[in-house]
Amino acid sequence: MAELTAFQAARLADDVYSLTRLPTLKDAVTYLNGEYGEVFNFSEQSLLKAKTGGPWFIKCRTAFGFTLLGQGSLKGHAFFLFRGTQYLADWLTNLNISVSRSSSGQPVHDGFKRAFFTMEPKLKEFMAIVAKNNISHIHCIGHSLGGALATLCGDWIKSGYKIKPYIYTFGSPRVGLYGFADFCTSSIGAERIFRAYHKTDIVPCIPIWPFIHTPNSGQDYFLPSPGIVPMAEYHGMNHYIDSVRNKSWPTLAALESERKSDDGIVRWLKSTSPIGLTITALEWLNQALVYVLRKCLKGVAWAISGAFGTSFTLMDQLAYVLKKGIDISENVSSLVLNLIKKMMEILGMKKVLKAAELTREFIRSIFLKLQQKVNDFTQAALSKVLVKGRAV
């Protein structure tokens, strides 16, 4: 098989954290060569460095992963390994998240893109080496923020070099909007994208709407974990390794979570059963929003971020489109109304509401309040991970 096993990918996603776990880079390289000397040669020359940051915390340039040529049993394979960061909560819960364009010209999280593109010179050098060595298989691997970078790397390789890589992510946040997820899925192929996530890992639930996961169709790899609220430890790579140990990708695929059909989404929107802020509710709410946006935009949910000027924030765009949807038809109007009611219920707000009350300002305020509540929820969960010293 050309792709890595789930356990191989998970081990690499975990061991790249040697860059932060061990006292020095030399210690990390020594450890990694001890673990993988038969198939890789780790060195300072193979190091990837990224400049990370934004207006909400200090920028820094630091070791973020490796570029590697396989040898021995992995001869003919090339690898891009990316780690996560302790600043992930700041990246994901910033209220002013902006969108910019990926290598393929699609809308993605601007912070992720900026960090990735600071690595581009080193990536280009490595791709020249890949070309000279007649590499047939390329693998992009990462956990948490590293998963977001691995996804962007896969898009970059396909866009610039016309090669279809394999992408493996564990507990990755959402990287882009509908256009990115759709383009990346169709151009690389859903069968080459292995997205694994624990049920109670909060990170795959954010950034919140309208960001969605890649692949946006085909198979993802749902890993059961206890409860319906975030369990901080289930974002850690130690649990991901345990969850995939001795399991093939087809075996993991059999653990698939409930697929949310269009009919199921409509039933959920109309349901009067009480809901609160849980992982399950966030999953349903995200799917419902994408569904309602498609109805408002006549099937083109990707238009968010592409059809407006830079003065419109994502929340402005969402409010504008949903308000327009109220005027399309009675059916679409009721979908928008039920969606806002669900959001208000999660916020603990009064649910008695009429379509006429849904002004752009009101819709925008509900989105902002919900975003803040989810962000507080996320910060608390990730803080517990940091306190326990786990890699994020």
Side-chain angles (χ1 to χ4, degrees):
M1 299 286 288
E3 72 268 14
L4 301 179
T5 67
F7 184 67
Q8 285 175 319
R11 273 199 68 206
L12 287 168
D14 181 46
D15 277 337
V16 71
Y17 280 106
S18 299
L19 290 168
T20 57
R21 288 175 185 153
L22 298 178
T24 68
L25 175 59
K26 183 178 179 180
D27 291 331
V29 168
T30 300
Y31 166 78
L32 290 167
N33 281 325
E35 291 290 306
Y36 297 97
E38 292 184 359
V39 290
F40 295 127
N41 178 26
F42 287 87
S43 69
E44 291 193 34
Q45 287 67 46
S46 62
L47 197 66
L48 277 172
K49 293 184 178 181
K51 188 175 184 181
T52 65
W56 53 96
F57 64 87
I58 298 173
K59 294 182 179 180
C60 62
R61 180 172 286 275
T62 186
F64 247 82
F66 291 94
T67 56
L68 299 163
L69 290 180
Q71 54 194 30
S73 63
L74 291 179
K75 186 176 178 59
H77 295 248
F79 296 78
F80 295 82
L81 307 183
F82 302 92
R83 68 167 178 82
T85 173
Q86 64 177 322
Y87 295 118
L88 183 67
D90 297 288
W91 288 55
L92 297 180
T93 62
N94 173 42
L95 286 173
N96 296 308
I97 286 175
S98 58
V99 170
S100 55
R101 299 289 168 174
S102 69
S103 302
S104 57
Q106 300 300 325
V108 295
H109 185 290
D110 184 63
F112 298 160
K113 192 206 89 166
R114 287 177 183 271
F116 175 75
F117 275 92
T118 63
M119 306 180 200
E120 191 170 22
K122 179 67 176 180
L123 297 173
K124 286 182 176 179
E125 287 179 16
F126 184 65
M127 286 304 293
I129 296 171
V130 166
K132 289 179 182 178
N133 284 270
N134 298 315
I135 298 298
S136 54
H137 304 295
I138 299 178
H139 309 273
C140 305
I141 304 167
H143 164 251
S144 198
L145 170 63
L149 297 175
T151 303
L152 288 171
C153 187
D155 176 67
W156 179 81
I157 292 168
K158 178 62 177 68
S159 298
Y161 298 90
K162 311 305 177 187
I163 300 170
K164 292 184 177 182
Y166 293 92
I167 301 172
Y168 312 82
T169 68
F170 299 87
S172 174
R174 297 174 177 136
V175 178
L177 306 192
Y178 183 87
F180 174 78
D182 190 55
F183 182 86
C184 197
T185 302
S186 60
S187 63
I188 293 175
E191 73 281 359
R192 289 174 173 261
I193 304 173
F194 300 87
R195 182 178 80 85
Y197 62 101
H198 278 128
K199 173 187 173 184
T200 49
D201 182 353
I202 186 63
V203 172
C205 294
I206 49 179
I208 64 170
W209 321 277
F211 290 85
I212 67 172
H213 277 296
T214 303
N216 70 330
S217 62
Q219 184 66 58
D220 55 25
Y221 297 88
F222 167 85
L223 305 176
S225 54
I228 60 172
V229 297
M231 300 284 287
E233 59 267 33
Y234 279 90
H235 184 58
M237 271 308 304
N238 56 325
H239 279 286
Y240 277 105
I241 287 176
D242 288 344
S243 293
V244 303
R245 192 186 304 273
N246 299 323
K247 296 183 180 71
S248 67
W249 290 116
T251 298
L252 294 172
L255 304 175
E256 183 176 28
S257 62
E258 178 187 3
R259 287 285 176 178
K260 297 171 178 58
S261 65
D262 287 353
D263 287 344
I265 289 169
V266 172
R267 286 194 298 272
W268 182 80
L269 284 169
K270 292 180 177 179
S271 170
T272 58
S273 299
I275 59 171
L277 185 53
T278 65
I279 293 285
T280 302
L282 289 176
E283 289 176 351
W284 275 105
L285 199 54
N286 183 68
Q287 293 294 323
L289 177 63
V290 172
Y291 174 79
V292 174
L293 284 174
R294 282 188 183 145
K295 293 296 182 181
C296 293
L297 292 165
K298 298 183 179 178
V300 286
W302 51 264
I304 292 290
S305 90
F308 298 85
T310 55
S311 61
F312 280 80
T313 67
L314 286 176
M315 292 304 166
D316 289 329
Q317 294 177 41
L318 284 167
Y320 178 87
V321 171
L322 292 174
K323 179 66 175 81
K324 286 292 184 183
I326 294 171
D327 302 325
I328 291 175
S329 69
E330 183 176 344
N331 182 50
V332 175
S333 178
S334 74
L335 289 173
V336 174
L337 182 61
N338 286 333
L339 177 69
I340 300 301
K341 284 181 176 179
K342 289 290 186 185
M343 294 169 71
M344 291 173 67
E345 185 176 359
I346 289 175
L347 288 167
M349 298 172 65
K350 182 180 177 183
K351 289 194 295 178
V352 177
L353 188 69
K354 297 180 180 178
E357 299 174 76
L358 295 181
T359 64
R360 281 172 56 185
E361 291 74 19
F362 181 79
I363 294 171
R364 184 177 183 276
S365 72
I366 294 299
F367 270 101
L368 287 173
K369 288 175 182 176
L370 184 62
Q371 184 184 45
Q372 183 62 65
K373 186 162 186 174
V374 173
N375 288 352
D376 292 344
F377 194 53
T378 302
Q379 286 277 6
L382 292 181
S383 293
K384 291 178 183 177
V385 179
L386 289 176
V387 166
K388 295 183 179 181
R390 291 189 174 87
V392 300

